[in-house]
Amino acid sequence: MQPRIPRQSAGEQGGRWPDGTDLEESFSAELASAVSGARRRAVRDGDRQIDTAHLLHSLLESDAQARELLGDGPRIARVLGYLVQRSIGYGLRWQSSVEDSGAVPVVTGAAGFSPPAAAALEDAWARAARRGAARAGGVDLLAALVADPLTRAAEVLARAAVEPHTVLARVESHVEPTPERP
């Protein structure tokens, strides 16, 4: 039986944007770690693509700043509890299906990602670029994940009583524009 997410060489593991740019060249070390963790999680779960719930799960495991902005300890525990349960009950209806919130246009350049996950990564990079940062960080991805209310990540957050507008407000008040270099 062939894996649903094709194995990639070390040079291809990050995927590419439609313009041919390596995805992970656009990410901070923390975000690159989260994306790699999401890829491993999707392969292990036998999922066709990396979806927004995979990204959220790995982001919360690898980025302390994103965890802090999501909320208090019990809230994080509830979110992680739902994410862990995806392979043993909650989320089983997601198996053998591709995440498509319908809220974003299909992004074809990020191979191995669901359309909403690819759009969230692109949005994270765009958020970083707007504030003058060279690389997107975990906080940028967190903001992108809570911005689309029709994704798997948003469904998990809603079940854990996480209010997206509150998280976005925390991110906006926390993230400062990157100072211009002389």
Side-chain angles (χ1 to χ4, degrees):
M1 181 174 192
Q2 206 168 2
R4 291 188 232 176
I5 298 176
R7 299 236 182 250
Q8 299 169 325
S9 70
E12 298 173 324
Q13 284 193 1
R16 299 212 175 270
W17 293 115
D19 68 1
T21 306
D22 186 344
L23 279 172
E24 292 186 14
E25 288 179 10
S26 305
F27 301 155
S28 68
E30 295 83 7
L31 185 52
S33 175
V35 171
S36 293
R39 179 173 289 106
R40 286 188 303 274
R41 189 174 306 286
V43 169
R44 185 191 67 227
D45 292 348
D47 292 332
R48 290 181 186 176
Q49 295 179 320
I50 300 162
D51 66 26
T52 57
H54 292 123
L55 289 171
L56 178 63
H57 196 164
S58 292
L59 178 64
L60 294 177
E61 287 180 338
S62 65
D63 191 312
Q65 191 175 31
R67 277 192 310 274
E68 176 184 321
L69 292 171
L70 192 62
D72 59 13
R75 183 164 298 146
I76 300 286
R78 279 194 309 272
V79 171
L80 288 172
Y82 280 114
L83 289 165
V84 167
Q85 291 179 37
R86 94 177 268 162
S87 63
I88 60 171
Y90 175 78
L92 281 180
R93 62 188 153 74
W94 294 340
Q95 285 186 343
S96 302
S97 67
V98 174
E99 177 184 34
D100 182 10
S101 72
V104 295
V106 174
V107 178
T108 58
F113 293 90
S114 71
L121 290 169
E122 191 170 320
D123 185 37
W125 182 83
R127 286 172 183 275
R130 280 193 300 270
R131 70 170 199 281
R135 296 175 186 262
V139 172
D140 299 308
L141 180 59
L142 178 62
L145 289 172
V146 300
D148 185 349
L150 302 175
T151 64
R152 292 176 180 174
E155 183 180 333
V156 169
L157 293 170
R159 288 191 177 264
V162 173
E163 175 56 47
H165 300 298
T166 303
V167 175
L168 279 173
R170 285 183 194 139
V171 169
E172 295 301 322
S173 69
H174 178 78
V175 176
E176 297 293 326
T178 304
E180 300 215 7
R181 295 180 187 166

